[in-house]
Amino acid sequence: MSDPVRPVPQPGILDIAPYLPGKAGAPGSKAIKLSANESPLGASPKAIEAFAAAAQQLEIYPEGSSRLLREALGEVHGLDPALIVCGNGSDDLLHLLAQTYLGDGDEAVMNRYGFSVYPIITQAAGARIVMVDETDFTADVDALLAAVTPRTKVVWLANPNNPTGTYLPDAEVRRLHAALRPDILLVIDNAYAEYVTADDFTVGSDLVREADNVVMVRTFSKMGLAAARIGWMFGPAHVVDAIHRIRGPFNVNLPAQMAGAAAARDTAFTEQLKSFNAQWRDWLTAELDGNHMRVIPSQANFILVQFPDAEHAALAFTTLLERGLVVREVGASYGIQDALRISIGSEQAMRGVAGILQALVKVG
Ligand SMILES: *Cc1c(COP(=O)(O)O)cnc(C)c1O
């Protein structure tokens, strides 16, 4: 029998491994989700109020450029709103950047345990992803630079990185940028910037202002608004112009714009989340590290815990699951077989995780 004639995806699309989201508990179960780096303190009450208020205007198209959100972001972060583009989550903007700057025969460089969306969007644009080895779960600037070829068009850098939680200090990001050709776009994905406590970290916006080939991408998802899907980028005018041409004309819905603007201005809530996270991130790290487990030092709202071997990691995953604590496996999506990624959650969840893992791994 001959194959039926039917529409065929562009070359390479069916080679893409689909994104694997963090698991949730069974529907109706009381499982606590520590698998997607969501906020353990809910959303800003002001954002919830603004989202609800938008329900009165659902019949009207939103203002297409997300002006009210861009103005709030400009005010809070000290940025020119004209150089901000908002998206339906930062995934939306990452896809648009890939589509705009990558094509057949091009290459994009990333570190091996970088965010798993980058290979998907690179291949979807017809380009090739070049994976670069890390040094102890941290992006290695010299190795990234050594992987650049005449075909390189984009460097994807999550800072801090997901799923490792490690980061590059300002000086290292600058060293990377300084050695890149000016026609290569450096995308700095600061999805976890609000959680960073290290003194030598800076967000990408300073570099964006100084250079013509740097974009900073941010999100509200890890700060209590994952369901609303709100991301934003800050870039040079020529990049902003290109992205505006191909983005969906109304890509951020009105409830999201209003909730995002309120959340951006609610800096007290942002601070509260940051200090809660720092306290329990440090606590869980100290409880687990050295106890036949190794915690990779994290600047984000999760930790990567390394077990003696893949069997221990699998046992830890199922034991936590049985006790109603859902964490993230990083074998299939990231190729890290002996580790689990655990989001920082409530005090009760953190004490539960620590107790279970200490009892389980003690046997060694
Ligand atoms: C979660 C995450 C994002 C995606 O965020 P959305 O705004 O929800 O699309 C982007 N980059 C990194 C590194 C992330 O961990």
Side-chain angles (χ1 to χ4, degrees), residues 96-104 106-108 118 121-123 125-128 151-154 156:
L96 292 169
L97 287 164
Q99 197 185 335
T100 303
Y101 292 100
L102 293 170
D104 268 352
D106 292 338
E107 292 173 358
Y118 307 150
I121 58 182
T122 298
Q123 287 171 254
R128 197 169 81 82
R151 293 170 181 269
T152 307
K153 293 286 167 58
V154 171
W156 303 112

Side-chain angles (χ1 to χ4, degrees), residues 279-310:
Q279 179 188 346
W280 290 98
R281 180 181 68 198
D282 290 354
W283 182 85
L284 189 61
T285 300
E287 288 291 310
L288 301 183
D289 192 49
N291 213 344
H292 298 283
M293 289 168 270
R294 176 170 175 240
V295 178
I296 312 306
S298 171
Q299 286 291 315
N301 67 341
F302 57 84
I303 56 171
L304 187 71
V305 184
Q306 228 185 347
F307 294 84
D309 49 46

Side-chain angles (χ1 to χ4, degrees), residues 200-269:
D200 57 357
F201 170 86
T202 44
V203 287
S205 42
D206 289 351
L207 206 50
V208 171
R209 271 189 281 241
E210 295 165 28
D212 235 8
N213 63 335
V214 182
V215 170
M216 171 182 78
V217 179
R218 305 282 291 267
T219 179
F220 285 88
S221 294
K222 314 295 157 50
M223 300 301 293
L225 290 172
R229 312 303 304 127
I230 315 162
W232 57 286
M233 55 163 260
F234 176 68
H238 69 98
V239 175
V240 165
D241 172 65
I243 299 301
H244 274 312
R245 288 169 193 262
I246 64 161
R247 69 172 171 81
F250 307 99
N251 61 337
V252 184
N253 65 72
L254 180 69
Q257 289 187 31
M258 289 180 58
R265 291 194 173 102
D266 192 353
T267 51
F269 182 78

Side-chain angles (χ1 to χ4, degrees), residues 67 70-75 79-85 234 240 244:
R67 190 192 311 121
R70 289 186 294 108
E71 283 173 356
L73 289 166
E75 184 185 302
L79 304 172
D80 179 356
L83 299 180
I84 294 173
V85 186
F234 176 68
V240 165
H244 274 312

Side-chain angles (χ1 to χ4, degrees), residues 19 36-37 88-92 94 115 118 158 160-162 189 191-192 217-222 226 229-231 302 341:
Y19 180 79
N37 306 338
N88 181 37
S90 56
D91 277 344
D92 183 21
L94 293 168
F115 188 40
Y118 307 150
N161 184 53
N162 173 16
D189 178 351
Y192 299 93
V217 179
R218 305 282 291 267
T219 179
F220 285 88
S221 294
K222 314 295 157 50
R229 312 303 304 127
I230 315 162
F302 57 84
R341 192 193 70 191

Side-chain angles (χ1 to χ4, degrees), residues 32 43 45-46 48 51 57 79 86 106 145 153 170 183 187 192 215 217 230 251 253 260 272 290 303 314 352:
I32 297 173
K46 291 179 179 158
I48 295 172
F51 192 95
Q57 305 172 51
L79 304 172
C86 298
D106 292 338
L145 289 171
K153 293 286 167 58
D170 181 48
D183 63 316
V187 179
Y192 299 93
V215 170
V217 179
I230 315 162
N251 61 337
N253 65 72
Q272 195 188 336
I303 56 171

